Each structure stands twice: as structure tokens, then as C-alpha cells.
Amino acid sequence: MNPRGVEISKAQRIAENGFISAIGNTPLIRLKKLSEETGCDILGKAEFQNPGGSVKDRAAYYVVKDAEERGLLKPGGTVVEGTAGNTGIGLAHVCRSKGYKLVIFMPNTQSQGKIDLLRLLGAEVYPVPAVAYDNPENYNHQATRYAEARENCVWTNQFDNTANRQAHIETTGPEIWAQTGGNIDAFTCGSGTAGTIAGCTRYLKDVSNGRVQCYVADPPGSVIYGYVQSHGAELGDRKGSSITEGIGQGRITENLKPDVELLDGALHISDAKSIEMVYRCLDEEGLYLGASSCLNVAAARDLALKLGPGKTVVTILCDGAYRYADRLFSKKWLREKKLWECVPEGLRKYAVLD
């Protein structure tokens, strides 16, 4: 008998309400090599262990729950979202478990694999032209119009629906605080919808009386780093792009607005650092993580070095690499993105795809 396993099993109990009851309560994993390297405890919250495979399961459940509680969504109703990634997958699982129809609008630049996966999970998918947000034909605006034209149909609006942020105030933040016994010095993660960084920052700042330092991690092509570092004085134009999916932003979302002033700073993480960390996490920690997760890990490492030895830094391991393997471990793709040289020479053996 494994006493530790029995203890954890008793704590988790039975997911009485099916899929939604299995969301959350993910473990914190100490990243051993990086912790030794920095003299800090670097902990990653294993959100890839959620039943839908990512941190977005939390937001997906909360935006649906919010629509139910406000009377916008009744039995047999339809949920609509504009998404090309994990939120759509989380919503597909939640909607199937609750008996709702799901309609997804996404840019037609997304891979056929993503479209097929969402359809496999029961979603109705509409790939539409990839145009800027200020264009009325942007996939988010099309999702809005679709929902508004139908009865018992709700657009969950993941970027500006603060039920997303609330999910992390009520679940992720408290879990981190409880798991560390309050012994946490800093928290960092990226910002896409900003639900995770905003909700966790709000909770951790409140519960620690402001002691926990919170930093947003930002990839190339995003305006968040400049905005935070300038204390809100500068919201530049979005320039460039990043290989990371689901993070980085060209505006301050409604999820971020209430808490952006609580942030202690921002960390700019290059694609080179993210790719290096994809391979390091696999080789050193045995963790098969996506690029956004590894951007977070790279930020946690940088933050640990900034704060100095003896600190505990927590970040989010958003999802695994399973949905991105055809790129992250492809020599051809890495060379096209001029990232092949960023993979440590001794770890290039993991790039097994041509």
C-alpha cells in the first residue's frame, strides 16, 4: 500500500458531479533542476492534469455556470465562443457533460487537427476569415451575432467575461495558497484572456496582505509588458508575433482591468527562451509541456533569479505538448522559425520529426 497515494485519494474523493467535479485540485510540481539552479523552490501547477487537459477547463466551467446562474442559459441551450484553442476544448467537455450544444467560431488559419478535435468532442465549428479584431467579420464578432440572433443561446465571451477571472479567485489561487501553506513569495504566468493572472494575483495579494509578488509573463508581439512596466502610461500597438498560443494580447481585457495595478511588474520572455525550456523541461524534469507552459517556466526562472535564493515561486503549467508536437519537435518548423539554434545541442535528439 502506498500511504501517500491513499492520503491524496481520500482528499480528492469522488467527482460526484461528473466531469465538472474533476476540474481543479491539480498538484504543484517542484521543478528540481531549475530549483537547484536558482536556489529557490520553483513550483509548477500541473493544469495539464485537468480532465480536459488544460487550465482552461476552469474558465470554461465558470463561464457556463455564470450563464446558468444569471438565467441566460437553460436546459437544451447553446453555448457560443470564439476560440482556436484550449477554451474551446474545455467548453466542449463541459457542454457535453451538461447537455448543451456548443458552437465555435475560429480563424480559418487554424489547423485541421484543431477543427477535427472540436468536432470530435461534439462542437459545431465555423472556420471564418482571419481578420483583425476591429473588423466586424472577426471571429469573435461573428460569434456574438450568432448568439444574439437565437433564443436560449449565450456567447460566453472568454476575454471580457469576468466569470473567467472569478474561477481563479475561487479555485486556483486558494489551491496554491493551501498547497504551499502560505509559504509563497511570488507568482507569475502569461496573459491571454488574463483570467488566470488576474484571478490568482487578486487572491494571493488579498490573502497575503500584499506580500506575494505577482508578475505577468509576456511573449513577443504583446502590449502587456510595456503597459505594466510603464504603470499604465503606454499601451503601444501590437507588433510582431510569437510561437506561443493563447497568450499575449493587444489590449487590456475586462478580466485584467480590475487587477492590473496589483501587478509588481512584467517579464518579457522571448520565443528562444520558451523553446529552450520546452526541451529542458522534457529532459530535466520529464515534463512534456506546451510552449505557453514553458514560457511560464522560463518566467519563473527569471523571477527566481531576480528575487534571489530562498524564495518560493509558483507558475502555471497550462497544458501538455500533445497538441503542438508536430511543430515543437519538428526540425523543419524550428528552422523555419529560426529557433533551431535555441534548442540546446545535447537536447536536439528530442526533435524527432522532420
Side-chain angles (χ1 to χ4, degrees):
M1 183 176 69
N2 176 356
R4 175 66 173 158
V6 171
E7 177 189 348
I8 293 171
S9 297
K10 285 180 178 178
Q12 290 180 324
R13 302 186 180 180
I14 295 171
E16 295 282 0
N17 291 320
F19 179 91
I20 60 172
S21 296
I23 297 171
N25 295 312
T26 55
L28 276 178
I29 299 175
R30 183 174 182 269
L31 305 180
K32 297 184 294 183
K33 183 71 174 179
L34 292 173
S35 295
E36 292 166 5
E37 183 181 298
T38 60
C40 293
D41 277 331
I42 296 180
L43 311 177
K45 193 148 175 61
E47 292 297 288
F48 56 82
Q49 290 194 12
N50 278 304
S54 86
V55 66
K56 292 296 188 177
D57 287 2
R58 296 181 189 258
Y61 171 49
Y62 263 70
V63 295
V64 169
K65 181 166 76 81
D66 175 70
E68 292 172 332
E69 290 171 350
R70 293 195 289 139
L72 301 175
L73 187 62
K74 299 176 177 64
T78 300
V79 172
V80 185
E81 184 56 89
T83 176
N86 285 327
T87 300
I89 293 166
L91 281 170
H93 284 287
V94 170
C95 287
R96 288 305 336 122
S97 74
K98 286 178 157 284
Y100 298 125
K101 177 183 176 181
L102 175 65
V103 175
I104 295 289
F105 285 80
M106 63 160 59
N108 60 8
T109 52
Q110 298 302 309
S111 70
Q112 188 62 41
K114 281 186 177 178
I115 296 170
D116 292 343
L117 175 58
L118 285 164
R119 287 176 174 160
L120 180 152
L121 291 170
E124 190 174 302
V125 182
Y126 293 97
V128 299
V131 294
Y133 186 81
D134 58 7
N135 187 315
E137 295 307 307
N138 176 274
Y139 67 101
N140 283 295
H141 303 317
Q142 293 205 46
T144 307
R145 292 196 296 271
Y146 182 99
E148 289 174 346
R150 289 162 176 79
E151 293 292 324
N152 197 16
C153 186
V154 61
W155 175 46
T156 45
N157 188 14
Q158 60 167 328
F159 287 92
D160 295 309
N161 182 344
T162 55
N164 175 349
R165 165 181 173 267
Q166 195 65 29
H168 302 285
I169 292 174
E170 294 185 11
T171 69
T172 321
E175 288 172 28
I176 291 169
W177 185 257
Q179 286 169 308
T180 59
N183 295 315
I184 169 177
D185 297 289
F187 174 80
T188 184
C189 75
S191 175
T193 65
T196 308
I197 184 65
C200 289
T201 293
R202 170 61 64 179
Y203 181 83
L204 293 171
K205 285 289 188 182
D206 285 352
V207 75
S208 70
N209 293 317
R211 178 181 58 79
V212 176
Q213 296 189 50
C214 297
Y215 283 73
V216 63
D218 214 32
S222 175
V223 304
I224 305 297
Y225 173 83
Y227 184 83
V228 172
Q229 290 297 91
S230 69
H231 304 287
E234 177 186 324
L235 183 61
D237 294 329
R238 192 165 190 174
K239 298 176 182 177
S241 61
S242 171
I243 61 158
T244 53
E245 295 189 24
I247 53 175
Q249 187 52 264
R251 63 189 179 95
I252 304 303
T253 65
E254 293 300 319
N255 280 295
L256 184 55
K257 280 181 183 177
D259 305 305
V260 67
E261 292 183 0
L262 295 178
L263 292 167
D264 294 282
L267 301 161
H268 178 77
I269 305 299
S270 67
D271 284 347
K273 281 187 176 181
S274 296
I275 281 292
E276 178 190 9
M277 200 57 73
V278 166
Y279 283 80
R280 285 194 62 184
C281 284
L282 178 58
D283 185 70
E284 298 169 1
E285 310 290 346
L287 291 171
Y288 186 55
L289 302 173
S292 57
S293 296
C294 291
L295 176 140
N296 287 347
V297 173
R301 176 186 177 274
D302 285 0
L303 185 52
L305 291 171
K306 176 183 177 71
L307 297 178
K311 305 296 185 183
T312 296
V313 180
V314 176
T315 193
I316 302 292
L317 308 181
C318 318
D319 65 0
Y322 305 98
R323 294 165 189 155
Y324 321 105
D326 59 341
R327 284 166 291 155
L328 296 179
F329 298 96
S330 162
K331 292 186 282 290
K332 179 182 177 183
W333 184 85
L334 289 166
R335 287 185 175 117
E336 286 175 352
K337 298 295 181 182
K338 296 181 172 52
L339 291 170
W340 177 246
E341 297 302 321
C342 304
V343 179
E345 190 169 348
L347 306 185
R348 292 178 185 174
K349 60 187 178 183
Y350 296 113
V352 298
L353 304 178
D354 291 330

